[in-house]
Amino acid sequence: MRLLNCDSVTSSRKANKTTHLPLLLANIGQLLTLQSSSGRPGPRRGSDLKELGVIEGGAVLCLGGKIVSVGKTKDALRDPWVKTKRKKILEIDCAGQVVLPGFVDSHTHPVFMSPRLVDFEKRIEGASYEEIAAAGGGIRSSLEGVRKAGKRDLAEKVLALLREMADLGTTTVEAKSGYGLTLESEMKSLEAIRDAASHWPGTVVPTLLGAHVVPGEFREHPEKYVEIVCREMIPRAAKRKLARFVDVFCDHGAFNAEQTEKIFQAAVENGLNVRGHMCQLTETVLKPFLRFEPASFDHMDHVNDADIAELARRDTIATLVPGANYFLGLKEYPPARSFIDAGVPVALATDYNPGTSPTLSMPMAMSLACTQMKMSPAEAIAAATINGAWALRVAERKGSIEAGKDADLTLFAVDDHREIPYWFGGSHCGLTVLNGVVWRNLKRGGFVGDRDPAPRG
Ligand code: NIG
Ligand code: FE
């Protein structure tokens, strides 16, 4: 058996040579498969959300970027194929550690140039998100940087973020445009996402967010801007296959319900799926949008009971992004318990962006979900993996550890899965596997100590 030499894996931060070697993660302390025992199809809801499908002493065998078998280590080692190929298998001893599906971060805004530090300070002094935006800060203040930037600079920034996400256990990322807000700069942003994704072994799902806010030059004529989104941006992004989804920030100060419906209609006519920033600042009636079969409604701080009941009957995911509430210093968080207890499928995401949630850490989002929204650690893990995959419509390939799915896994150097949201503000992620590529978190050197996923004995 070829044991993993961690130094050779860590020596390159790019997709490395180990891609095509068969990979066996063995002796896993807790393997969270996220397989559902209920067998109910569709996203996890209600009590199914906390089912992690734990195997103690588990093993996962991956080949050609796919998971080929999942079970107990003793059974894996008895497998005739493993026995004959053992010398060629890259084996990682995961004793005393937790392995789970790579996180699916189903809501990020990674294409921007600079942090918004003045907004940060103003908010500390007491200004609200809307007041800062009205005074010239907010989303509009990020536009100039992106409009002036070269595509290569944007792509390099995005790639650096994707690498950091892999360090934190994320293997699938939704990435939105939305800080250019001209036809040219939105396409440039989507191209930067595509270029960065081609240098990263994980999976990136691109979203056009041309309807983030009405840019200043259209302030007096928002309808003209909506026309540009519908007639120019959406058809161009669809034709060039630069986006899978169209998103709209539907709220006070951004786009109203009528404009949002128009944009969703254009998306569907151009063969793109829809998702929405909904009910972040104010309540919006969601029912009229359901005819577009949105993959996800995100934020969801202010939702009425009738819509909660309606969503419980659908597969549209309520994607909660508590990092935004934390960073804006809000006292209230989205009502996760009301959603889960009513049967609404819930996902968690970082909402990485320069204005409301500058974090790439899914474990941080999960920790906030537990402490501020009273989700259990198990619910937070399912919301960050399998339901994130449903929110991106990739659940047939992602989000759980099952034979036939993509080899997207992450390893945490902890004994118990509840420690993942427990240890907040740092990272215990030691290793990530993205489509079969082994990615070692360099920053953890020396910290993993005797839990290092290196061969032992
Ligand atoms: O998800 N709400 C709209 N969009 C982002 C914020 C973007 C920004 O402030 O730059 C969000 O919170
Ligand atoms: Fe967002």
Side-chain angles (χ1 to χ4, degrees), residues 241-306:
K241 297 198 182 341
L242 286 170
R244 293 255 300 276
F245 290 97
V246 169
D247 193 347
V248 179
F249 181 16
C250 175
D251 219 315
H252 189 238
F255 296 87
N256 63 29
E258 197 188 315
Q259 293 164 332
T260 301
E261 284 196 57
K262 235 186 207 171
I263 295 165
F264 280 177
Q265 183 65 38
V268 170
E269 282 168 9
N270 282 275
L272 297 177
N273 291 314
V274 303
R275 52 197 321 108
H277 281 71
M278 295 288 178
C279 305
Q280 178 183 8
L281 309 170
T282 52
E283 185 183 307
T284 301
V285 179
L286 296 173
K287 202 165 176 195
F289 304 114
L290 292 174
R291 70 190 163 94
F292 301 105
E293 298 185 0
S296 174
F297 286 147
D298 301 32
H299 286 276
M300 303 290 270
D301 295 68
H302 308 281
V303 184
N304 68 58
D305 289 345

Side-chain angles (χ1 to χ4, degrees), residues 29-34 51-56 417:
Q30 287 187 342
L31 169 60
L32 316 182
T33 65
L34 273 292
E51 269 202 50
L52 299 181
V54 182
I55 300 176
E56 303 206 340
H417 64 268

Side-chain angles (χ1 to χ4, degrees), residues 214-260:
V214 176
E217 60 273 25
F218 287 97
R219 207 188 286 264
E220 302 306 319
H221 308 284
E223 295 315 321
K224 283 195 182 146
Y225 185 68
V226 171
E227 282 296 294
I228 290 173
V229 173
C230 293
R231 293 192 195 280
E232 297 181 25
M233 291 185 192
I234 291 174
R236 188 80 63 94
K239 186 154 182 248
R240 296 189 56 210
K241 297 198 182 341
L242 286 170
R244 293 255 300 276
F245 290 97
V246 169
D247 193 347
V248 179
F249 181 16
C250 175
D251 219 315
H252 189 238
F255 296 87
N256 63 29
E258 197 188 315
Q259 293 164 332
T260 301

Side-chain angles (χ1 to χ4, degrees), residues 32 34 52 100 366 376-386 417 420-421:
L32 316 182
L34 273 292
L52 299 181
L100 68 158
M366 293 155 70
S376 70
E379 288 172 335
I381 289 170
T385 54
I386 186 66
H417 64 268
I420 297 172

Side-chain angles (χ1 to χ4, degrees), residues 29-49:
Q30 287 187 342
L31 169 60
L32 316 182
T33 65
L34 273 292
Q35 292 182 21
S36 148
S37 63
S38 76
R40 271 187 283 276
R44 301 294 154 82
R45 51 181 98 228
S47 59
D48 286 354
L49 188 65

Side-chain angles (χ1 to χ4, degrees), residues 86-161:
R86 212 155 159 184
K87 285 209 178 76
K88 294 209 164 74
I89 293 175
L90 182 64
E91 180 172 333
I92 301 175
D93 183 354
C94 306
Q97 320 210 39
V98 174
V99 170
L100 68 158
F103 299 124
V104 179
D105 190 348
S106 59
H107 181 143
T108 81
H109 305 247
V111 195
F112 62 88
M113 288 304 282
S114 311
R116 296 216 299 267
L117 303 175
V118 174
D119 293 12
F120 182 45
E121 284 187 324
K122 279 189 182 161
R123 208 160 36 246
I124 293 165
E125 287 159 12
S128 72
Y129 183 68
E130 289 121 300
E131 283 162 357
I132 290 168
I139 297 166
R140 288 187 192 91
S141 64
S142 291
L143 301 184
E144 194 184 331
V146 169
R147 289 179 181 181
K148 281 193 178 150
K151 184 175 70 182
R152 202 187 161 120
D153 288 345
L154 290 173
E156 272 170 14
K157 280 204 175 275
V158 175
L159 181 56
L161 298 169

Side-chain angles (χ1 to χ4, degrees), residues 296-348:
S296 174
F297 286 147
D298 301 32
H299 286 276
M300 303 290 270
D301 295 68
H302 308 281
V303 184
N304 68 58
D305 289 345
D307 281 336
I308 292 181
E310 192 60 42
L311 288 171
R313 291 192 279 272
R314 313 254 176 173
D315 284 353
T316 297
I317 307 292
T319 300
L320 312 181
V321 291
N325 300 62
Y326 164 77
F327 190 72
L328 294 178
L330 304 181
K331 302 247 166 349
E332 298 292 322
Y333 281 71
R337 282 265 57 95
S338 307
F339 290 126
I340 295 168
D341 297 343
V344 178
V346 161
L348 286 171

Side-chain angles (χ1 to χ4, degrees), residues 3 93 454-457:
L3 291 172
D93 183 354
R456 39 196 91 201

